[in-house]
């Protein structure tokens, strides 16, 4: 009985083996005759093409600053995972790599803006100091579409600034900061500026430090915390150091986070300061150190009284300073703020600052001639905000907090909104500012031409004699008419006749 069982088992084993071989042969035959989807050249090519196109579209979307992710995705994520200063440093790091998005659109002609007679920019939207403190991301910021990029504040010697945390976001659309001029110093920034200049670059007489048409580069000069409060030396040194590398040099005496700095806005100290920096700028140009003559601009606070504003205006008018930025941050806290961070010490910027900056602008504009432009800064987050500053007498505007909140596309968005506002009114930025400044500025007296010694003396004497004769004739006629028929003199008429008439 065992033997048959063994034979049956062997037969079944051979049968199973034979079936397995046939199945293997069929699988091999099928594989050889019909290539699998994964090895098909056509399908592989389609997958590769789709991947390349998708990557290209993603990169195009990322590098276009208008993309929604740069307002509604990236900034909220940064605020979610990083504190404000950490997010700030990340943004500067991306700019430093050259991999930041950029404004891909050409500025509309109706945005063209003349800052000074010899300096015109493609749009009136600039970036205020404080974002790029060390000059690490200049070209990346220009690529966002700003026409004015202001770096700094920079102090002569490196200093760390105030202890952290020192930046606080508010749900009210503002930021409180007490940075205290953290700076790598003049030498560091000087190296950054020199790195931008190509070795083959030959500056022309009318070339700009921005190294691009339709834009200007400004450097904001600060003061070391360790320097004497009333000393102007840090600012004079800054002018001498950076005059060859800037289109505009900004004298910052308005930060609330450096002890004693705002005291330099008093008239006596301010006149000394502005005279010193003007002289240093002119000496740099005369000595050939600076190929161009950078403009000097003063940045003031929004917390000044009317008398203080008048004193500042008087100092500016006699100093040779070319313009004013209104304004820096405020130490005031407007009623209605809801964020608990409002109790933090420091300067407040953003939407809550706007009323204070506009009020200061409106007080200062009538005290300065039209030849001295004012640049508005404070709470500008839309095209309508920018236009409001223009109608108040500002030549151009600067952003800061709204740029930090809304991301890389903010300059382009505000420019587009501003174009729509101007088109609705059928006008241009240049026309709005020209009209407002002409109406609101101090009217300048026509210059009196000096008369050379000995020249015109005879003509002047003859003219004076003729005028005296005319007055005597007038007096005689009135005296005769004042006599009554009885030969008496009317006393009132006689007195009137004795009063000289205006020629």
């Amino acid at each position: 009985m065992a033997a048959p069982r063994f034979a049956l088992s062997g037969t079944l084993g051979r049968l199973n083996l034979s079936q397995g071989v046939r199945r293997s042969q069929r699988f091999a035959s099928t594989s050889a005759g019909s290539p699998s989807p994964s090895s098909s050249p056509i399908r592989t090519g389609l997958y590769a093409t789709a991947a390349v196109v998708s990557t290209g579209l993603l990169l195009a979307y990322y590098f276009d600053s208008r993309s929604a992710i740069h307002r509604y995705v990236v900034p909220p994520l940064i605020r979610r995972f990083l504190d404000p200063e950490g997010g700030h440093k990340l943004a500067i790091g991306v700019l430093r790599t050259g991999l930041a998005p950029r404004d891909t659109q050409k500025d509309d002609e109706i945005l063209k803006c003349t800052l000074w007679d010899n300096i015109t920019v493609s749009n009136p939207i600039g970036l205020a100091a404080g974002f790029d403190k060390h000059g690490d991301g200049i070209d990346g910021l220009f690529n966002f579409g700003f026409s004015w990029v202001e770096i700094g504040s920079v102090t002569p010697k490196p200093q760390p600034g105030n202890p952290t945390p020192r930046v606080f976001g508010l749900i009210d659309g503002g930021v409180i900061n007490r940075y205290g001029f953290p700076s790598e110093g003049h030498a560091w920034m000087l190296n950054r500026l020199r790195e931008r200049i190509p070795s083959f670059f030959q500056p022309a007489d009318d070339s700009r430090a921005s190294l691009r048409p339709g834009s200007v580069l400004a450097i904001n000069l600060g003061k070391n915390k360790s320097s004497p409060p009333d000393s102007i030396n840090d600012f004079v040194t800054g002018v001498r150091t950076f005059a060859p590398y800037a289109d505009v040099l900004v004298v910052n005496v308005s930060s609330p986070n450096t002890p004693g700095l705002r005291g330099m806005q008093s008239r006596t100290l301010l006149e000394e300061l502005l005279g010193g920096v003007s002289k240093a700028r002119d000496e740099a140009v005369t000595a050939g150190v600076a190929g161009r003559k950078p403009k000097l601009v003063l940045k003031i606070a929004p917390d000044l009284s009317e008398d203080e504003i008048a004193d500042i205006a008087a100092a500016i008018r006699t100093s040779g300073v070319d313009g004013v930025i209104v304004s820096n941050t405020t130490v005031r806290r407007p009623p209605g703020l809801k964020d608990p961070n409002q109790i933090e010490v420091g300067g407040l910027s953003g939407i809550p600052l706007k009323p204070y900056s506009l009020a200061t602008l409106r007080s200062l504009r009538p005290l300065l001639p039209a030849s001295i432009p004012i640049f508005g800064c404070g709470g500008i987050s839309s095209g309508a905000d920018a236009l409001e500053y223009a109608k108040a007498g500002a030549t151009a505007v600067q952003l800061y907090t709204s740029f930090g909140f809304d991301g890389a596309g903010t300059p382009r968005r505000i420019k587009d909104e501003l174009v729509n506002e101007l088109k609705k009114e059928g006008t241009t930025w240049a026309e709005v500012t020209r009209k407002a400044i002409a109406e609101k500025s101090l009217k300048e007296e026509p210059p009196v031409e000096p008369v050379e010694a000995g020249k015109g003396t005879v003509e002047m004497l003859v003219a004076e004699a003729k005028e005296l004769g005319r007055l005597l004739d007038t007096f005689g006629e009135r005296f005769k008419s004042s006599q009554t028929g009885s030969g008496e003199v009317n006393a009132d008429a006689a007195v009137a006749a004795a009063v000289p008439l205006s020629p």
Side-chain angles (χ1 to χ4, degrees):
M1 297 294 296
R5 220 174 8 253
F6 177 81
L8 178 62
S9 174
T11 302
L12 291 173
R14 285 191 297 273
L15 179 60
N16 290 336
L17 178 62
S18 175
Q19 291 174 344
V21 169
R22 284 196 297 270
R23 281 197 298 270
S24 298
Q25 288 174 342
R26 283 197 303 270
F27 177 78
S29 175
T30 303
S31 299
S34 302
S36 67
S38 61
S39 63
S40 170
I42 296 177
R43 186 163 298 186
T44 300
L46 291 174
Y47 286 154
T49 301
V52 170
V53 171
S54 299
T55 302
L57 290 174
L58 179 61
L59 289 175
Y61 185 74
Y62 167 77
F63 281 112
D64 188 340
S65 66
R66 297 172 299 166
S67 301
I69 60 170
H70 299 306
R71 185 178 187 184
Y72 299 111
V73 178
V74 176
L77 283 176
I78 291 176
R79 288 194 292 271
R80 174 69 178 82
F81 293 105
L82 295 173
D83 63 83
E85 187 165 354
H88 188 172
K89 290 179 179 178
L90 174 63
I92 292 296
V94 173
L95 287 168
R96 182 85 172 130
T97 66
L99 297 177
R102 58 187 62 207
D103 183 2
T104 60
Q105 306 302 300
K106 183 179 179 181
D107 289 335
D108 196 298
E109 284 294 313
I110 68 174
L111 293 178
K112 190 169 289 187
C113 174
T114 299
L115 305 180
W116 290 276
D117 288 342
N118 60 336
I119 297 182
T120 298
V121 292
S122 62
N123 72 78
I125 310 299
L127 176 66
F131 189 85
D132 186 1
K133 298 180 182 297
H134 314 304
D136 291 321
I138 297 172
D139 291 299
L141 292 168
F142 276 124
N143 289 339
F144 285 152
F146 290 112
S147 66
W148 169 310
V149 169
E150 188 173 327
I151 60 175
S153 289
V154 58
T155 57
K157 295 181 292 186
Q159 64 178 30
N162 292 323
T164 58
R166 52 193 179 181
V167 189
F168 309 90
L170 306 184
I171 59 174
D172 310 275
V175 168
I176 293 173
N177 91 79
R178 52 172 179 263
Y179 269 117
F181 286 171
S183 175
E184 299 290 349
H186 283 182
W188 175 282
M189 185 174 284
L190 203 56
N191 287 334
R192 284 282 183 260
L193 293 168
R194 288 171 174 166
E195 285 175 0
R196 294 183 65 239
I197 303 175
S199 57
F200 57 83
F201 180 72
Q202 296 295 325
D205 291 339
D206 60 346
S207 64
R208 296 187 183 175
S210 62
L211 303 184
R212 55 183 72 205
S215 305
V216 295
L217 175 64
I219 301 176
N220 188 291
L221 305 177
K223 184 175 182 176
N224 279 117
K225 190 175 182 179
S226 59
S227 298
D230 58 349
S231 173
I232 70 171
N233 292 339
D234 285 5
F235 295 106
V236 170
T237 300
V239 170
R240 290 172 177 162
T241 302
F242 295 109
Y245 302 96
D247 298 305
V248 180
L249 294 169
V250 180
V251 179
N252 186 352
V253 292
S254 52
S255 170
N257 301 314
T258 297
L261 183 64
R262 285 192 168 186
M264 299 197 76
Q265 294 175 117
S266 64
R267 183 167 179 174
T268 302
L269 288 177
L270 189 60
E271 286 176 339
E272 180 187 0
L273 169 62
L274 298 183
V277 294
S278 296
K279 180 181 178 183
R281 185 267 310 270
D282 294 343
E283 287 175 348
V285 174
T286 303
V289 175
R292 68 188 68 80
K293 185 177 182 179
K295 301 295 183 181
L296 280 176
V297 172
L298 177 69
K299 187 167 186 176
I300 66 173
D303 305 315
L304 300 162
S305 68
E306 293 294 327
D307 288 342
E308 289 171 327
I309 293 173
D311 283 345
I312 288 173
I316 291 170
R317 290 195 301 266
T318 59
S319 67
V321 166
D322 301 296
V324 189
I325 295 175
V326 178
S327 68
N328 213 313
T329 57
T330 179
V331 295
R332 289 180 281 183
R333 300 293 182 265
L337 292 180
K338 299 176 182 177
D339 199 295
N341 282 332
Q342 65 178 288
I343 64 172
E344 294 292 344
V345 175
L348 172 64
S349 62
I351 292 173
L353 171 62
K354 182 184 169 186
Y356 300 134
S357 294
L358 271 173
T360 304
L361 168 61
R362 290 176 175 134
S363 294
L364 182 62
R365 183 70 274 175
L367 302 177
L368 294 177
S371 58
I372 299 179
I374 299 176
F375 304 100
C377 180
I380 298 168
S381 58
S382 68
D385 290 335
L387 190 56
E388 187 175 2
Y389 270 86
K391 291 179 178 180
T395 295
V397 297
Q398 293 182 324
L399 312 181
Y400 182 80
T401 303
S402 63
F403 174 56
F405 274 132
D406 292 339
T410 305
R412 170 47 57 190
R413 175 179 60 80
I414 291 179
K415 287 189 290 186
D416 288 344
E417 291 175 358
L418 182 55
V419 167
N420 291 336
E421 294 286 341
L422 292 169
K423 286 183 176 179
K424 280 194 293 187
E425 298 188 13
T427 187
T428 67
W429 179 270
E431 181 59 24
V432 171
T433 55
R434 185 201 62 77
K435 181 180 178 182
I437 293 170
E439 291 177 353
K440 302 177 187 300
S441 298
L442 179 69
K443 302 302 182 285
E444 294 182 276
E445 295 289 337
V448 178
E449 296 183 4
V451 178
E452 297 180 14
K455 183 179 180 180
T457 305
V458 175
E459 291 85 348
M460 290 173 63
L461 288 174
V462 171
E464 289 175 0
K466 289 180 178 180
E467 178 62 17
L468 181 58
R470 189 185 69 80
L471 291 174
L472 288 173
D473 291 341
T474 303
F475 176 80
E477 291 174 1
R478 290 198 173 191
F479 184 79
K480 290 177 182 179
S481 65
S482 68
Q483 295 179 337
T484 63
S486 60
E488 295 177 350
V489 176
N490 183 303
D492 292 338
V495 171
V499 178
L501 300 177
S502 298

